[in-house]
Amino acid sequence: MATLKILFWICLVICIYTYIGYGVILYLLVLFKRLLKGKEQPVDLPRDSELPDVAFMVCAFNEEDVVEMKMQNIHELDYPKEKLHVIWVTDGSTDNTNERLKAYPDVEIVFSPERRGKTAALNHGISQVKSEITVMTDANTLVNREAIREIVRCMLDPKVACVAGEKRVLSRNEGEIAAEGEGLYWKYESTLKQLDSELYSAMGAAGELNAIRTHLYEPMPETALLDDFVMSMKLVGKGYKIAYTSKAYAMEYGSANLEEESKRKRRIAAGGLQSSWWLRSMMNPFNTSKRVAFQFVSHRVLRWSITPIAMLALIPLNVALVMMKAGTAYTTIWILQILFYLAAFCGYLLEQHGKKSKLLYVPYYFLFMNINVFRGMHYLKTHQGGGTWEKAKRG
């Protein structure tokens, strides 16, 4: 029984730490840092004539439907036009994406006739960039008008090699389950990124909107599933920082439904496991900064690997301890587990009937995310190489 108790408490502590404890500890550390050093104030931008040249790069595969929307958004960005160089990297597109882009004389088209995936497109596209800073964004996202200036402001710190923008999820209609669940997750994730960045460095940048110092980019293996994460974390491994700013944000519609959202979650989970292995040296505090090892393992590695397994293991461990009459604490925790999974199941039933209760939806979406971690594990195990992925349909 003693061994079961030890395993039970290890699993429980891992789960609580990953989703609650780390955020609390991170907040307290940032609060302590503010008390010691004060909160960092934003620096002033130089005059327009002294601003750096920026490449605004969009990697696309068969995105003819959004070209006009995206280009209108780009033309509304508040940055000197002579210093903003727009590049579309079209990876094996077979629709009219290239033809529609030809209508815009300010666009440089980098075309590859073979579809090899986004990582290959990034490698190809950045090899053509001559600007000091490269901003990357998805074709189906809208970027706020001030985004480029805010990214450049962050880059004024020579220790910052990458800037992570905020992702905001839109829904076309109230009550869209997948979009609202994704939006809730990203609010939580954005809070952690902000705190990570303030403590030392954000742990990765999302592909919806990020930027790097162009000369620091290293070509990545085309099999990378989370190219944006690997690219940005490699820079942290070199001693640079990823700055997070909520003042530069990308907006996109959430997944059309939970089936489409599951595709995204599987890819992220598979890519998370893959990149954790590739970047495993960063988990060792003797190989990298102790802060980086702490943040990387706590924010990323645990939720992509150990924590979902620990959460699953809690069920049989708890049942065994209850049956062995180990004590009131174990019975209470088992009752709480039952209530949690019942709430998630009720949330699932409501979603199947097109209804939603926020109280029931949170445990359902939380469980949905963790189930897709296991699906991601299966995908990675059976993956035969190549960086292409079926795009999730948006709402």
Side-chain angles (χ1 to χ4, degrees):
M1 185 187 291
T3 302
L4 287 179
K5 285 183 177 180
I6 292 170
L7 289 173
F8 173 84
W9 286 108
I10 288 173
C11 290
L12 185 62
V13 168
I14 287 173
C15 292
I16 293 174
Y17 174 76
T18 301
Y19 295 109
I20 300 174
Y22 174 62
V24 173
I25 293 171
L26 188 60
Y27 174 75
L28 293 175
L29 288 173
V30 168
L31 193 62
F32 183 67
K33 183 180 178 181
R34 289 176 186 173
L35 290 173
L36 287 179
K37 299 183 178 180
K39 191 170 183 179
E40 291 185 12
Q41 298 301 317
V43 296
D44 293 329
L45 282 171
R47 294 175 298 178
D48 281 7
S49 60
E50 297 174 357
L51 289 172
D53 280 20
V54 173
F56 193 88
M57 193 168 74
V58 182
C59 291
F61 169 71
N62 287 354
E63 298 285 5
E64 63 177 358
D65 293 338
V66 299
V67 166
E68 184 178 351
M69 174 197 74
K70 186 68 175 182
M71 287 306 304
Q72 181 179 345
N73 179 233
I74 291 172
H75 289 153
E76 291 172 354
L77 293 173
D78 178 23
Y79 203 77
K81 302 305 177 187
E82 68 277 9
K83 292 180 177 287
L84 186 62
H85 309 283
V86 183
I87 301 173
W88 280 68
V89 185
T90 58
D91 174 58
S93 291
T94 56
D95 65 356
N96 293 317
T97 299
N98 288 346
E99 286 68 25
R100 295 196 177 186
L101 286 171
K102 288 175 182 177
Y104 300 93
D106 57 330
V107 172
E108 178 184 351
I109 303 172
V110 178
F111 174 62
S112 174
E114 179 187 357
R115 188 187 179 198
R116 293 186 296 165
K118 187 180 175 183
T119 307
L122 277 177
N123 290 340
H124 188 194
I126 293 185
S127 69
Q128 308 298 309
V129 173
K130 298 178 178 63
S131 303
E132 180 182 339
I133 296 170
T134 301
V135 175
M136 289 157 278
T137 180
D138 290 341
N140 63 340
T141 60
L142 297 175
V143 177
N144 66 305
R145 190 170 184 270
E146 303 79 18
I148 309 300
R149 288 185 183 271
E150 293 302 326
I151 286 170
V152 170
R153 191 191 307 276
C154 293
M155 289 284 193
L156 292 177
D157 182 349
K159 295 179 181 178
V160 172
C162 175
V163 178
E166 183 174 284
K167 175 180 176 178
R168 299 185 182 180
V169 180
L170 308 174
S171 57
R172 297 186 189 276
N173 302 297
E174 186 177 352
E176 288 185 349
I177 304 294
E180 292 188 11
E182 187 183 351
L184 182 67
Y185 166 77
W186 276 103
K187 286 178 183 177
Y188 164 75
E189 180 65 19
S190 296
T191 301
L192 287 184
K193 282 187 175 182
Q194 183 69 59
L195 292 170
D196 271 335
S197 180
E198 196 170 342
L199 181 64
Y200 177 68
S201 169
M203 291 293 106
E208 286 79 10
L209 179 62
N210 65 77
I212 65 164
R213 298 188 189 275
T214 308
H215 74 280
L216 293 175
Y217 181 82
E218 287 185 359
M220 294 175 290
E222 294 182 7
T223 53
L225 296 173
L226 284 187
D227 46 85
D228 39 28
F229 181 77
V230 174
M231 173 192 70
S232 55
M233 288 301 292
K234 277 190 171 183
L235 296 174
V236 176
K238 291 181 177 180
Y240 293 100
K241 297 180 181 179
I242 303 170
Y244 173 82
T245 174
S246 60
K247 294 180 180 179
Y249 55 88
M251 299 169 285
E252 70 175 349
Y253 289 104
S255 300
N257 51 55
L258 284 172
E259 183 180 347
E260 295 299 317
E261 177 68 356
S262 180
K263 293 178 184 177
R264 292 185 63 259
K265 294 300 183 190
R266 289 200 301 270
R267 174 166 90 61
I268 292 170
L273 285 166
Q274 181 193 62
S275 55
S276 294
W277 177 250
W278 287 358
L279 302 168
R280 60 191 179 276
S281 63
M282 295 179 67
M283 301 180 207
N284 186 342
F286 298 103
N287 287 341
T288 186
S289 160
K290 291 180 176 61
R291 284 176 296 187
V292 170
F294 162 66
Q295 291 179 262
F296 181 42
V297 172
S298 300
H299 189 167
R300 297 298 187 184
V301 178
L302 286 177
R303 69 167 68 172
W304 283 332
S305 56
I306 298 172
T307 303
I309 296 171
M311 191 168 75
L312 182 63
L314 275 175
I315 298 173
L317 286 171
N318 207 167
V319 170
L321 288 167
V322 169
M323 292 180 68
M324 295 169 71
K325 298 181 180 179
T328 305
Y330 299 99
T331 303
T332 303
I333 294 171
W334 177 233
I335 291 171
L336 292 174
Q337 281 208 75
I338 291 172
L339 291 174
F340 171 81
Y341 286 109
L342 278 175
F345 182 66
C346 289
Y348 165 76
L349 291 178
L350 286 176
E351 187 274 329
Q352 292 296 300
H353 290 85
K355 300 178 182 179
K356 191 186 78 168
S357 162
K358 289 185 178 180
L359 183 64
L360 300 175
Y361 186 67
V362 171
Y364 169 50
Y365 193 80
F366 178 81
L367 193 59
F368 167 81
M369 289 197 321
N370 280 279
I371 288 171
N372 279 292
V373 171
F374 289 101
R375 291 176 176 171
M377 292 177 182
H378 178 262
Y379 172 82
L380 190 62
K381 182 179 179 181
T382 58
H383 188 51
Q384 298 300 315
T388 59
W389 189 274
E390 183 184 355
K391 294 188 296 182
K393 296 176 183 177
R394 294 286 175 176

